[in-house]
């Protein structure tokens, strides 16, 4: 009688399996020289091509045609394209990682190996590749376009974007049945990132029957490209070496301008609508506009604590509105005078700060050179939404 010996197999622990999977993945990639070279040169080459073509040469100088960072109107486009490149490269490098291992995994399935270790080995490998690719892109692109002092922050934002794309690519690779399907679905996932990223088309210019004209549509809120682009744009504008001297005072100026020229006139208009509603005996319309006035005045006085709230604001109703109407009108005039004086004070403080910085940097020309090197006018217009004012 033939006895078959029993074999007891003890699989390696999770850490050992992770190490085996990772080493096997790296060795297989290194063996493919073409793959290695493409991953090494792809992003720096894309950064070189992109930055060379959008390096706008400004000709309004005494020295003739010259590149000035502050005058390059293509910087916002560059920021958005860096995000799209990070998403595209991140998905491309990861989209085949799992699907090409299916035969090996099927063959090894009887060994009861950990899928957790396998997936994490893929994630670690992709993180390392994306870290290099995004850093290479930032170094080449920012150097050519002379974007100074932003290497690390740009890399962090783009690396985070690429990591999202890596995970998305792994999900695609794990769920698609063929490589052809993968390369069909990648454009389907990437095009919405371009369309709803907030750069190519403004959210309020989209089809009004599909999206909101007042708020960012939900589809924009879930787009990684939108958040990455805003992070790059806002960080570049707020934290560059020139603007960070003025940002705090610029915010005060913007607030005072908004309250004086936008909010208070709008509240005056709402007050007139309340008066019209009473004459039309439309109580609903009256209280709708009155509640907006009350809400905005309370928010204003909470922000500017030195402004006294209108007396007995909560007691105003349709019965005593005629009595309060003229006093609220006078109150609004006082608010506009207050913000006008505040704005004048802010502008004087701004002029004083400019003179102080001119002394600090040695001359007016050197301060202007600092602005030319670090501050981009087109990006400032977009971040501050000056085109829609």
């Amino acid at each position: 009688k033939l006895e078959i010996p029993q074999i007891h197999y003890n699989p390696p622990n999770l850490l050992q399996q992770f190490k085996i999977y990772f080493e096997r993945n790296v060795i297989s990639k290194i063996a493919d020289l073409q793959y290695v070279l493409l991953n090494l040169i792809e992003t720096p080459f894309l950064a070189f091509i992109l930055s060379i073509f959008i390096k706008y040469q400004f000709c309004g100088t005494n020295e003739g045609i010259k590149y000035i960072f502050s005058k390059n109107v293509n910087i916002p486009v560059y920021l958005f394209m860096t995000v799209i490149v990070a998403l595209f490269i991140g998905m491309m490098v990861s989209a085949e990682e799992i699907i090409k291992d299916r035969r090996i995994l099927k063959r090894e399935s009887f060994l009861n190996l950990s899928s957790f270790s396998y997936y994490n080995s893929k994630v670690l490998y992709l993180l390392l590749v994306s870290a290099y690719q995004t850093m290479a892109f930032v170094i080449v692109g920012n150097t050519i376009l002379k974007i100074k002092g932003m290497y690390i922050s740009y890399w962090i934002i783009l690396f985070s974007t690429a990591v999202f794309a890596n995970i998305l690519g792994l999900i695609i690779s794990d769920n698609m049945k063929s490589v052809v399907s993968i390369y069909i679905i990648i454009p389907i996932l990437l095009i919405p990132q371009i369309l709803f990223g907030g750069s190519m088309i403004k959210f309020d210019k989209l089809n009004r029957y599909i999206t909101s004209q007042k708020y960012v549509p939900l589809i924009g809120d879930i787009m990684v490209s939108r958040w990455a682009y805003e992070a790059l744009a806002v960080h570049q504008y707020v934290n560059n070496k020139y603007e960070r001297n003025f940002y705090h005072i610029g915010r005060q100026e913007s607030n005072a301008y908004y309250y004086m020229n936008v909010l208070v006139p709008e509240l005056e208009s709402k007050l007139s609508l309340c008066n019209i509603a009473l004459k039309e005996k439309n109580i609903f319309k009256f209280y709708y506009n009155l509640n907006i006035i009350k809400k905005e005045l309370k928010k204003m006085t909470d922000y500017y604590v030195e402004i006294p709230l209108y007396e007995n604001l909560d007691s105003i109703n349709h019965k005593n509105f005629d009595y309060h109407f003229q006093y609220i009108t006078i109150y609004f005039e006082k608010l506009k005078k207050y913000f006008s004086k505040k704005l004048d004070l802010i502008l004087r403080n701004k002029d004083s700060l400019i003179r102080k910085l001119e002394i600090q940097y040695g001359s007016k020309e050197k301060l202007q050179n600092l602005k030319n090197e670090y501050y981009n006018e087109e990006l400032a217009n977009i971040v501050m939404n000056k085109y829609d004012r």
Side-chain angles (χ1 to χ4, degrees), residues 130-375:
S130 294
Y132 162 76
Q133 289 182 327
T134 49
M135 178 57 77
F137 187 96
V138 169
I139 290 173
V140 174
N142 286 24
T143 301
I144 292 174
L145 292 174
K146 297 183 179 180
I147 302 176
K148 299 181 179 180
M150 296 287 172
Y151 289 99
I152 298 299
S153 54
Y154 272 45
W155 174 74
I156 291 173
I157 295 169
L158 294 180
F159 174 60
S160 302
T161 306
V163 169
F164 164 80
N166 291 157
I167 303 302
L168 185 58
L170 287 177
I171 294 172
I172 295 170
S173 184
D174 195 30
N175 288 278
M176 293 294 106
K177 294 182 178 180
S178 67
V179 175
V180 175
S181 301
I182 290 174
Y183 291 108
I184 290 174
I185 199 171
I186 284 178
I188 296 176
L189 295 173
L190 194 61
I191 289 173
Q193 297 285 348
I194 298 173
L195 180 61
F196 301 110
S199 174
M200 304 298 291
I201 303 176
K202 291 186 177 182
F203 293 120
D204 58 352
K205 304 300 181 185
L206 295 170
N207 190 326
R208 66 175 60 249
Y209 296 107
I210 300 174
T211 61
S212 170
Q213 302 298 302
K214 187 175 182 181
Y215 304 103
V216 175
L218 177 62
I219 194 169
D221 283 334
I222 63 176
M223 290 295 131
V224 171
S225 58
R226 178 234 168 156
W227 296 108
Y229 172 61
E230 286 191 12
L232 286 171
V234 173
H235 181 77
Q236 174 67 50
Y237 171 72
V238 173
N239 295 311
N240 69 75
K241 193 175 180 180
Y242 175 82
E243 180 59 27
R244 65 189 180 200
N245 296 302
F246 297 97
Y247 177 70
H248 66 287
I249 201 166
R251 184 172 59 181
Q252 295 174 9
E253 179 185 354
S254 180
N255 285 340
Y257 178 89
Y258 167 76
Y259 282 111
M260 182 178 71
N261 294 309
V262 179
L263 183 60
V264 175
E266 182 65 22
L267 294 181
E268 287 179 321
S269 175
K270 295 293 182 184
L271 190 67
S272 298
L273 290 175
C274 287
N275 199 27
I276 294 171
L278 273 185
K279 293 178 181 179
E280 296 174 349
K281 297 183 179 180
N282 190 335
I283 301 301
F284 174 80
K285 182 179 178 181
F286 169 82
Y287 278 108
Y288 173 79
N289 289 286
L290 181 62
N291 288 333
I292 292 177
I293 294 173
K294 290 180 178 181
K295 180 180 177 182
E296 293 301 325
L297 286 179
K298 287 178 181 178
K299 286 168 59 177
M300 182 190 302
T301 52
D302 286 342
Y303 189 81
Y304 292 98
V305 294
E306 65 272 22
I307 298 177
L309 186 63
Y310 179 79
E311 293 182 2
N312 302 318
L313 181 66
D314 291 328
S315 65
I316 301 175
N317 54 48
H318 65 283
K319 295 180 180 179
N320 60 18
F321 179 77
D322 290 338
Y323 170 78
H324 288 283
F325 178 80
Q326 58 179 338
Y327 294 106
I328 298 178
T329 303
I330 296 172
Y331 178 74
F332 283 155
E333 290 298 326
K334 290 180 178 178
L335 285 178
K336 287 193 286 187
K337 290 180 181 179
Y338 167 82
F339 285 115
S340 177
K341 291 179 180 179
K342 190 170 186 64
L343 188 59
D344 289 341
L345 177 61
I346 292 170
L347 293 175
R348 287 198 299 271
N349 291 337
K350 187 176 181 179
D351 291 338
S352 177
L353 178 60
I354 292 174
R355 289 192 295 270
K356 181 180 177 181
L357 289 172
E358 288 173 354
I359 295 172
Q360 179 181 334
Y361 286 97
S363 66
K364 182 177 181 179
E365 288 73 20
K366 289 182 178 180
L367 182 61
Q368 182 61 43
N369 290 337
L370 182 73
K371 182 178 182 179
N372 290 340
E373 292 177 4
Y374 289 92
Y375 181 92

Side-chain angles (χ1 to χ4, degrees), residues 50 54 76-86 137 199-200 229:
L50 178 63
I54 68 173
V77 176
Y78 171 74
L79 298 184
F80 187 68
M81 288 306 301
T82 60
V83 173
I84 300 304
V85 168
F137 187 96
S199 174
M200 304 298 291
Y229 172 61

